[in-house]
Amino acid sequence: MTEKPLNVVIVGGSLTGLFHGVVLKRLGHNVRVLERANPDNLREHGAGIMARDDVQAFLRKHDRFSDQPYFVLGEPKIQFINQNAEVTRTWDMQLYMTSWDTLYHRLRANFDELQSDYVVMGQRAPQIGSGTASYDFGCNVTNVKYNKESVELEVERSTGLLVQDLFAVINGYVSFDWLRQTTSTDLVIAADGPASSIRRLLCPGTERNYVGYIAWRGTVVESQISEKSRGLLRTCLNYFIHSRGHIIIYLIPGKNGSLKPGERLLNYVWYCNYAKDSVELRNLMTDTEGHCHRITMPMDKMRPEVCAQHKLNADRLLPSAFAEVVRATSQPFVQCITEASAPKAVFFDGHLFLAGDAFCTFRPHVASSTNQAALHALLLRRTLTSGTLQLRPHVTHPRFSSKTNQIAMQAYEAQVRQYAKLTGLTSRESDRAVDDINREYHMAETVAAIGLAASIVQLLKFGTEVVGRLQEYRTRSKEIPTVFHDISVQLPLLIADLRVTKERAERTELPSDVAESVSTIVGSCRDHIKVRVA
C-alpha cells in the first residue's frame, strides 16, 4: 500500500461497490461511491441471497456488527419435492440465507455509518486509520479516460440539486453542461453490475446475452402461509422440477432484517423457459404502459392479467405448498437470465478494476454473484497490502517499477479469471443437468399426451356421429324423444371440452399424471360406449 491515501471512486453502490468500499476505507483511503439510482428507487429485485464462503470470510474480518446475525440458519439440507408434495430425496448441505436489503444496510453501516433499523449501531470504538467515505445518489458515469497516473470520470447528476438549480438550467440561465462534472481520481472500481456502463466503454464487443429462460421472484411473510405448507417447506431449501422449469423456496430475513419465526420471508425463484424474441416473452415483459422491458419487469409495472396467469400456472404446475407461496405473493416480478464476461478485469495500469457482475455475470444456479463480489474485494485488499501494486510510483520506494505493477496485476487477473471460469462452467453444467431432468419429465408427459389425444380422437369421432344422427332424427321427426333430449344438449358441450383437452394434450400442457388419469377415464368411456352399441 502507498503511504499517502488514495482517492478512490467506486461506480455502483450495490453490494459489490460496498464490499470494496469497506475494504478501501479500512485501508485508510478516501472513498466516494457514485450510485446511478435515486434513493427512493434503490431496491434490489433479487431479494434472497446465499451467503457463501467468501461473503462469510469478508464479514468475519470487516463487519463491526458481527454480534448481530444477518442470515437464516436453517436445517442443513436441500429437499426435493414431487408433484404430490412428497419429499423424494435430500442433500446434506448447510446454507446461510440472507437478503439483499439486510446485507446492503449491514455494509452501509460499516462503510459510511448509515443509520437504519437493520443494524443497532450502539457504542463502537472509532476506526483508527480509516479513510473517509461518501455515498452519492443520482450520479451516472458517462465516460472514463486514463491520464498518466489518474483516471478522469465524466459524471451526470440527477439528484442533490435544488429547485432553483433545475429552474436555471431549464430556462437557459446556465448550460446543461453545468449538470455534468469531471472528477479525477487515483483508483476506480467499476461495480455497476451486469449492465455495466464502464464495461461497455472499455470492452465494446462484450455482449450481455439472454440464455433462454426467465426467473419469477417474490416473497411472502411466512406467517401468511398455512401450517401444513410450512410443515413441508420447513427451514431448508426446497426444490421442485417440472417439464419446462423448476422452482426453489427458502427462508430469508424479514422486515428490517428480522430473524424471528413468523416474521421471516419465504422467498421463491421460479425459472421458466421462454424462447428469445418469442411472442410469449414479449407479452411477459410488456408493462402496464405498453413498454417492453429487456431484462427486468419492475414489480409495480406488471400487467394484472400477467400476474393472474402466473398464479394460475402455479396452481396447475406446482405442488400445493409451492403454489400457495406463489399465490400469496402480492408483488412478484420477472428477470430475464443473462450472462456476460469481460476479456480482462484490470485496466489503465492498475488504476481501474472491473468488479463483481461488471466483470463476469453468471447464471444463477450456483448462487455465486455475491460471493464473487466479496472475493474480488478480498483479493484487491491482498494485492494492495502486499506492497506489489503501486498506483503512485513517483512517491514510493524506487525499487517499485512498472514491471512490479504488471506482475501484481497479472496475479490478481489470474485469480479472478480462474474463479469466473470455474463458476461459469459449473453454472452451465447445472443448467444441463436440469435440462436432462426436464427432458425426462417432458418425455413422460409427451407419451401420456399422445395416449390421451388418441383416446379423445376416437371418442370425438363417435360423439360427432351421435350428434349428427340426432340432428337428422330431429329434422325428420321435428322432435326428439325425452330419453335423448339430455344427450342432444350435453353431448355437443362434452365434444367442445374434449377438443380443448385434446389441443392442450397435443401441446403437452397437461402434467403426465393428469394426462394419464384423463386418458384412463376417456378410454373407459369409449369402451363402455362400444359395449353398449354392440
Side-chain angles (χ1 to χ4, degrees):
M1 175 179 147
T2 58
E3 296 178 3
K4 185 178 179 181
L6 297 170
N7 292 318
V8 182
V9 169
I10 298 177
V11 182
S14 190
L15 302 185
T16 301
L18 290 171
F19 280 128
H20 286 77
V22 170
V23 159
L24 291 162
K25 178 190 174 184
R26 297 281 171 82
L27 291 177
H29 302 304
N30 302 315
V31 185
R32 181 189 181 196
V33 171
L34 302 180
E35 169 55 43
R36 178 171 47 199
N38 297 326
D40 294 338
N41 296 331
L42 186 62
R43 64 183 180 190
E44 170 62 23
H45 294 301
I49 286 176
M50 185 184 297
R52 295 186 59 192
D53 294 348
D54 291 304
V55 174
Q56 296 174 49
F58 181 96
L59 292 173
R60 281 196 299 269
K61 186 174 185 63
H62 296 290
D63 184 16
R64 301 177 67 218
F65 309 96
S66 57
D67 56 319
Q68 302 173 38
Y70 63 92
F71 54 80
V72 174
L73 186 62
E75 297 173 73
K77 65 180 180 180
I78 299 174
Q79 59 180 20
F80 294 81
I81 296 173
N82 66 14
Q83 185 72 55
N84 298 320
E86 301 167 334
V87 178
T88 58
R89 66 184 187 276
T90 61
W91 287 351
D92 294 334
M93 183 179 295
Q94 183 64 71
L95 303 176
Y96 300 80
M97 310 309 300
T98 186
S99 62
W100 182 90
D101 54 322
T102 298
L103 204 49
Y104 171 83
H105 287 93
R106 177 67 58 104
L107 292 173
R108 283 293 302 270
N110 281 283
F111 175 63
D112 60 341
E113 300 184 358
L114 177 72
Q115 300 281 337
S116 75
D117 292 329
Y118 288 82
V119 179
V120 178
M121 302 294 284
Q123 295 295 323
R124 303 282 165 172
Q127 300 179 49
I128 306 299
S130 290
T132 62
S134 65
Y135 192 107
D136 298 335
F137 287 101
C139 296
N140 183 34
V141 176
T142 59
N143 201 11
V144 58
K145 298 178 182 177
Y146 183 42
N147 183 18
K148 293 183 178 179
E149 293 170 7
S150 65
V151 182
E152 289 186 357
L153 298 170
E154 294 181 12
V155 183
E156 290 185 352
R157 300 169 59 204
S158 61
T159 62
L161 302 174
L162 301 176
V163 174
Q164 55 265 36
D165 296 331
L166 296 175
F167 182 80
V169 172
I170 292 171
N171 287 278
Y173 300 139
V174 295
S175 169
F176 273 98
D177 291 337
W178 182 75
L179 296 176
R180 301 186 180 96
Q181 301 175 343
T182 299
T183 183
S184 182
T185 189
D186 302 307
L187 176 63
V188 173
I189 306 298
D192 49 345
S196 171
S197 59
I198 304 297
R199 186 183 65 219
R200 286 199 303 270
L201 290 169
L202 299 177
C203 313
T206 301
E207 297 290 337
R208 185 182 182 188
N209 298 312
Y210 173 62
V211 298
Y213 58 95
I214 59 91
W216 282 92
R217 298 178 184 267
T219 59
V220 61
V221 179
E222 63 176 322
S223 60
Q224 296 179 11
I225 301 302
S226 67
E227 289 187 14
K228 180 181 178 181
S229 293
R230 292 204 308 272
L232 173 67
L233 300 174
R234 306 172 69 90
T235 60
C236 54
L237 187 144
N238 300 275
Y239 203 104
F240 171 72
I241 300 176
H242 60 88
S243 63
R244 288 182 174 82
H246 64 282
I247 182 172
I248 57 174
I249 294 180
Y250 52 90
L251 281 169
I252 61 174
K255 184 179 180 180
N256 296 326
S258 174
L259 299 175
K260 186 182 298 184
E263 295 181 358
R264 300 170 298 188
L265 299 176
L266 279 163
N267 177 83
Y268 78 85
V269 188
W270 186 2
Y271 300 105
C272 302
N273 298 335
Y274 280 84
K276 183 180 180 181
D277 299 326
S278 65
V279 174
E280 292 79 8
L281 181 61
R282 183 173 182 82
N283 180 63
L284 178 68
M285 300 303 290
T286 300
D287 65 19
T288 52
E289 298 174 355
H291 173 68
C292 185
H293 296 261
R294 180 171 175 265
I295 302 297
T296 300
M297 168 62 72
M299 59 180 65
D300 57 348
K301 294 285 188 180
M302 183 174 294
R303 288 179 292 131
E305 62 269 27
V306 172
C307 187
Q309 185 60 52
H310 169 57
K311 295 183 179 184
L312 288 175
N313 290 340
D315 285 332
R316 182 170 60 87
L317 295 171
L318 304 180
S320 57
F322 286 73
E324 183 181 352
V325 172
V326 173
R327 286 197 312 271
T329 304
S330 60
Q331 287 190 311
F333 61 94
V334 177
Q335 286 179 317
C336 291
I337 304 304
T338 61
E339 61 182 1
S341 182
K344 56 185 292 190
V346 187
F347 297 80
F348 301 162
D349 297 328
H351 289 265
L352 187 149
F353 289 75
L354 290 180
D357 286 338
F359 170 61
C360 188
T361 304
F362 307 118
R363 302 182 189 198
H365 304 295
V366 286
S368 292
S369 175
T370 307
N371 196 71
Q372 175 183 238
L375 173 65
H376 285 183
L378 292 170
L379 290 176
L380 180 63
R381 181 187 185 280
R382 183 190 306 170
T383 300
L384 291 175
T385 55
S386 67
T388 56
L389 180 62
Q390 299 298 318
L391 301 182
R392 287 195 181 120
H394 62 286
V395 298
T396 57
H397 196 280
R399 69 184 177 87
F400 295 107
S401 64
S402 59
K403 185 172 182 63
T404 308
N405 274 3
Q406 187 176 9
I407 293 172
M409 289 184 291
Q410 288 175 348
Y412 174 90
E413 186 89 49
Q415 292 175 87
V416 299
R417 288 186 65 80
Q418 180 183 34
Y419 181 87
K421 181 178 180 180
L422 292 175
T423 306
L425 288 172
T426 303
S427 70
R428 293 188 184 93
E429 286 300 320
S430 175
D431 260 3
R432 277 193 281 271
V434 172
D435 286 343
D436 289 342
I437 296 173
N438 283 346
R439 274 193 290 273
E440 293 178 10
Y441 276 81
H442 184 67
M443 181 61 71
E445 292 190 355
T446 300
V447 170
I450 291 172
L452 173 59
S455 297
I456 289 177
V457 165
Q458 296 181 39
L459 191 55
L460 280 174
K461 182 180 178 181
F462 181 82
T464 302
E465 290 177 357
V466 172
V467 170
R469 290 182 182 181
L470 287 172
Q471 289 175 343
E472 288 177 11
Y473 188 88
R474 172 180 284 174
T475 301
R476 291 196 304 268
S477 305
K478 297 187 179 180
E479 63 178 50
I480 298 177
T482 303
V483 69
F484 292 132
H485 184 268
D486 288 344
I487 295 177
S488 68
V489 173
Q490 295 174 9
L491 190 55
L493 297 177
L494 175 61
I495 289 173
D497 286 340
L498 283 172
R499 287 197 173 107
V500 171
T501 303
K502 173 177 172 290
E503 291 171 359
R504 289 189 62 190
E506 289 173 339
R507 293 195 299 267
T508 63
E509 291 180 357
L510 298 174
S512 58
D513 56 341
V514 174
E516 290 171 359
S517 299
V518 176
S519 182
T520 300
I521 295 171
V522 171
S524 297
C525 290
R526 181 196 61 216
D527 294 340
H528 182 68
I529 291 171
K530 283 182 178 179
V531 171
R532 295 295 297 271
V533 170

